[in-house]
Amino acid sequence: MSIPRIASLQQQSISEPPPPPLYIITPTYRRPEQLAELTRLGYTLKHVVNLYWLVIEDAEEPTPQVTKLLQKINVPFSHLVAQMPAKYRKNKVKPRGVSNRNRGLEWIRANASDGVLYFADDDNTYDVEIFDEMRYTKKVSMWPVGLITKFGVSSPIVKNGTVVGFYDGWIGGRKYPVDMASFSVSVRFLLSRPNASMPYKPGYEEDGFLKSLSPLKLTEIELLASNCTEILVWHTQSKKNPNAMSLDMGKYNNTNLVHLRNILV
Amino acid sequence: MSIPRIASLQQQSISEPPPPPLYIITPTYRRPEQLAELTRLGYTLKHVVNLYWLVIEDAEEPTPQVTKLLQKINVPFSHLVAQMPAKYRKNKVKPRGVSNRNRGLEWIRANASDGVLYFADDDNTYDVEIFDEMRYTKKVSMWPVGLITKFGVSSPIVKNGTVVGFYDGWIGGRKYPVDMASFSVSVRFLLSRPNASMPYKPGYEEDGFLKSLSPLKLTEIELLASNCTEILVWHTQSKKNPNAMSLDMGKYNNTNLVHLRNILV
C-alpha cells in the first residue's frame, strides 16, 4: 500500500507579496485542560500564513509550561499576561477573558498598523478557511458559529445579501447578539476608534465591544462563510476536569510518576 | 511590525526515504460535535507525514458531510462504516467504537504490510511528537495519557526503564489498565497474531485487545514520551450539545438560516 506524501497546506512562492497579517487574540487561564486546548488550537493556526498569535493569560506571571508549549508549536507569538481586576474576581458570574482581550487590543494599537484582528478562545474549533476569509475585512466581518445555545447555531440573519437581524438563543436586549468567535475587525478600523474596548459585563462583552466601534451600520458588516450559509467555527466546550489527586510519594518514589506529577495542575 | 512567514512543519527532501507509514484508526458517529471534532483532529494529523487516516463511522452509510470534510482537510483517508451489532445497541453501557476499530484492523490486515497502527478517537488531543515517536514501534509502544480519571493521568509505572505496573484511576481486574489512546501496535506484530481483535466489553476493550496480542511480556513494551515522563496525548472530552431546535420556516423563509438548518444535526 503506497501512501501519498503530504504537501504543506499553505505554499506560496517567495515572489508573491504576503497577504494582510492576522492578529489572533487568545485569552487563556491555568486549568487542567489548558495545555491540551492550546495544543490543538496551535496546530490549526500553524496552517495559516502571516499570522501572529497573542496568547494572553489571566495570571500574575506567564506560566512557563505555556511558554514552552508555544515555542514548541512554533507559530509566531507573544505570551502576555493580564489579570482580571480584583473587584470582579468575587463576582458569581465573572467577566472572564475581558482583561486579556483588552490587553490584546492595547498590544495591537502599539504594534500593528494594518491587517485584521480576531478573538479566538482556546476551546473553540476553527476551519482554516475562515482565517483566509477574514483576512480581507474592511471594517467588521461576521459569520455563523455552530454548537451554541439551544438553536445549535448563532448567526446574522441574511436576506438578499444584507443583515436583517440576528439568530441567537439569547438576545438579552443586545444590539449585536453574537458570539465572540463570530466576527473580525480590521486593524485600521480599530485604530480609527481610539476609545474602543471591551466592557467587564458578563454576557455583554461582544455587544459592548462592537458598540464601542460605532458608528457601524448593519449594512457595512461584511458577511463571510458564503453569505453566512456555512459553519466554519464551532463553539466547542471541553468537559472540566478536576485538579489531579496528589500522589503518594512514598509509594511511587523513584518512578516516572514523580515527573508526571510535576506537569499536572 | 513584520511577521515571519511560516514554513511547513514537516519538510523532507525528495531523496530521503519516507518513514514507516502510520495507520490511524478513528471511530466516529453522527452527533452535533462530529464535524468540529474531526476538523481539529484532521488539522493535527495533517502535520504528520506518511500517515493514512481510517475514519470509520458507526452508521449504515457514510455521512456525506463527513466525506466532504475529509476531502477538504486532505489528509490521505478511507471513509468506512461499521455498525454496532444490533444485540449490543440495547445495552445500558454500549461498547461504542468496537465494531469500527475491528473494521479498521480488518482493513489493515487486507491492505498493509508494515508500519504502525494507532486508535485515535476524534475527541482526544494529540501533540504531533507522539506520532513521530510511535512510528518505530517494534511490537507495542505505550505512554501516558493526560486528563483521565481522578488521577489526572493514566500511565505505565516505570522504574529503571521497565514497566512495573499501571497507574490508572480504575484497575478493574485488568492486566493492561490503560486508555485506548495510550498505545500503538506494529502492523507486522498484528499480522503475526491472526486472531487479535477487540472484545465488545465496555471498559475492557483495551485490555481485551492487548491480551489478544499475547504472548507479549511487560518487558517488551516500548516506552515513549521520554520513558513516560511527558504528556503528549490528552483524553479531552467535549460537552455534549443537544440536537438543534427545528427552525420556524414561515418566519425565516428566504434567509440564510434555511441553509444552516440543513447542516445541523
Side-chain angles (χ1 to χ4, degrees):
Chain A
M1 171 86 206
S2 110
I3 301 178
R5 306 287 284 282
I6 303 167
S8 77
L9 188 68
Q10 299 282 354
Q11 271 179 340
Q12 294 194 312
S13 74
I14 298 299
S15 57
E16 247 178 87
L22 278 179
Y23 298 95
I24 305 298
I25 298 174
T26 298
T28 186
Y29 64 101
R30 201 80 189 107
R31 61 197 194 281
E33 304 78 33
Q34 184 185 35
L35 297 179
E37 302 286 31
L38 289 171
T39 295
R40 54 184 170 187
L41 172 55
Y43 286 140
T44 295
L45 299 181
K46 202 174 168 74
H47 288 296
V48 185
V49 295
N50 213 18
L51 178 148
Y52 198 81
W53 195 13
L54 295 162
V55 177
I56 309 176
E57 280 197 280
D58 185 342
E60 217 172 311
E61 300 282 339
T63 305
Q65 288 165 266
V66 172
T67 311
K68 203 178 142 196
L69 178 71
L70 297 174
Q71 285 165 344
K72 184 177 181 181
I73 295 176
N74 200 25
V75 167
F77 73 95
S78 287
H79 185 189
L80 308 171
V81 290
Q83 279 196 294
M84 188 185 296
K87 60 180 169 181
Y88 301 114
R89 270 181 257 162
K90 293 162 220 147
N91 289 10
K92 210 170 165 183
V93 182
K94 293 179 183 58
R96 190 138 10 225
V98 174
S99 58
N100 322 38
R101 294 191 197 94
N102 280 328
R103 179 69 187 86
L105 295 175
E106 193 189 298
W107 187 98
I108 287 171
R109 289 186 192 284
N111 294 283
S113 56
D114 65 347
V116 165
L117 75 97
Y118 178 53
F119 299 115
D121 288 358
D122 60 5
D123 53 351
N124 290 335
T125 303
Y126 308 89
D127 186 314
V128 294
E129 198 179 315
I130 196 63
F131 296 106
D132 287 325
E133 291 195 14
M134 72 171 74
R135 207 188 274 283
Y136 299 96
T137 299
K138 290 187 190 75
K139 289 186 171 177
V140 173
S141 293
M142 287 190 180
W143 55 83
V145 174
L147 297 178
I148 189 162
T149 81
K150 63 191 170 186
F151 289 176
V153 65
S154 168
S155 178
I157 304 171
V158 179
K159 210 166 181 168
N160 303 323
T162 335
V163 182
V164 296
F166 293 93
Y167 185 73
D168 190 282
W170 175 67
I171 299 299
R174 294 181 292 171
K175 180 176 178 188
Y176 302 103
V178 298
D179 184 66
M180 196 65 76
S182 74
F183 63 90
S184 60
V185 177
S186 104
V187 168
R188 281 181 208 278
F189 187 61
L190 177 80
L191 297 179
S192 75
R193 303 289 189 270
N195 297 317
S197 74
M198 192 167 288
Y200 287 91
K201 199 177 166 191
Y204 293 84
E205 293 94 337
E206 299 90 343
D207 190 47
F209 174 65
L210 287 165
K211 279 175 173 168
S212 81
L213 292 171
S214 72
L216 171 71
K217 292 178 198 151
L218 282 191
T219 50
E220 291 178 309
I221 291 172
E222 300 143 65
L223 301 170
L224 306 185
S226 305
N227 258 330
C228 298
T229 61
E230 293 178 286
I231 296 176
L232 300 177
V233 179
W234 294 266
H235 188 252
T236 34
Q237 292 182 283
S238 285
K239 276 191 198 163
K240 294 269 170 232
N241 292 268
N243 285 2
M245 277 179 65
S246 63
L247 198 66
D248 180 341
M249 287 300 295
K251 196 169 169 189
Y252 297 113
N253 206 358
N254 298 321
T255 73
N256 62 320
L257 298 187
V258 178
H259 298 272
L260 290 177
R261 190 199 53 168
N262 297 335
I263 306 173
L264 301 175
V265 176
Chain B
M1 173 84 207
S2 110
I3 300 178
R5 305 288 285 281
I6 303 168
S8 77
L9 189 67
Q10 298 281 354
Q11 271 177 343
Q12 294 195 312
S13 74
I14 298 299
S15 57
E16 246 179 86
L22 278 179
Y23 298 95
I24 305 298
I25 298 174
T26 298
T28 185
Y29 64 102
R30 202 80 190 108
R31 61 197 194 281
E33 304 79 33
Q34 184 186 34
L35 298 179
E37 303 286 31
L38 290 171
T39 295
R40 54 184 170 186
L41 172 55
Y43 285 140
T44 295
L45 299 181
K46 202 176 169 72
H47 289 296
V48 185
V49 295
N50 212 18
L51 177 149
Y52 198 80
W53 195 13
L54 295 161
V55 178
I56 310 177
E57 280 197 281
D58 184 343
E60 215 171 312
E61 301 281 341
T63 305
Q65 287 165 265
V66 172
T67 312
K68 203 178 143 196
L69 178 71
L70 296 174
Q71 286 165 343
K72 184 177 180 180
I73 295 176
N74 201 26
V75 166
F77 73 95
S78 286
H79 184 189
L80 308 170
V81 291
Q83 279 195 293
M84 187 186 296
K87 59 179 169 180
Y88 301 115
R89 269 181 257 161
K90 294 162 219 147
N91 289 10
K92 210 169 165 185
V93 182
K94 294 180 181 59
R96 195 153 344 242
V98 174
S99 57
N100 322 38
R101 295 191 196 95
N102 280 328
R103 179 70 188 86
L105 295 176
E106 192 188 299
W107 187 98
I108 286 171
R109 289 186 192 282
N111 295 282
S113 55
D114 65 346
V116 166
L117 75 96
Y118 179 53
F119 299 116
D121 287 358
D122 60 5
D123 52 351
N124 291 334
T125 302
Y126 308 89
D127 186 314
V128 294
E129 199 179 314
I130 196 63
F131 296 106
D132 287 325
E133 291 195 14
M134 72 171 75
R135 207 188 275 283
Y136 299 96
T137 298
K138 290 187 190 77
K139 289 186 171 176
V140 173
S141 292
M142 287 192 180
W143 55 83
V145 173
L147 297 179
I148 189 161
T149 81
K150 61 192 171 184
F151 288 176
V153 66
S154 168
S155 177
I157 305 172
V158 179
K159 210 167 181 167
N160 303 324
T162 333
V163 182
V164 296
F166 293 92
Y167 186 72
D168 190 283
W170 175 69
I171 299 298
R174 294 181 291 171
K175 180 175 179 188
Y176 302 103
V178 298
D179 184 66
M180 196 64 77
S182 73
F183 63 90
S184 60
V185 177
S186 103
V187 168
R188 281 181 209 278
F189 187 59
L190 177 79
L191 297 179
S192 75
R193 303 290 188 268
N195 297 317
S197 74
M198 191 167 287
Y200 287 91
K201 199 175 166 193
Y204 292 85
E205 293 94 337
E206 299 90 343
D207 190 48
F209 174 65
L210 287 165
K211 279 175 174 170
S212 80
L213 292 171
S214 70
L216 171 70
K217 291 179 200 151
L218 282 191
T219 51
E220 292 177 310
I221 291 172
E222 300 143 65
L223 301 170
L224 306 186
S226 304
N227 259 332
C228 299
T229 61
E230 293 179 285
I231 295 176
L232 300 177
V233 179
W234 294 267
H235 187 252
T236 35
Q237 292 182 283
S238 285
K239 276 191 198 163
K240 295 267 169 233
N241 291 269
N243 285 2
M245 277 179 65
S246 63
L247 198 67
D248 180 341
M249 287 300 295
K251 197 169 169 188
Y252 296 113
N253 206 359
N254 298 322
T255 73
N256 62 321
L257 298 188
V258 178
H259 298 272
L260 290 177
R261 189 199 54 169
N262 297 336
I263 305 173
L264 301 174
V265 176

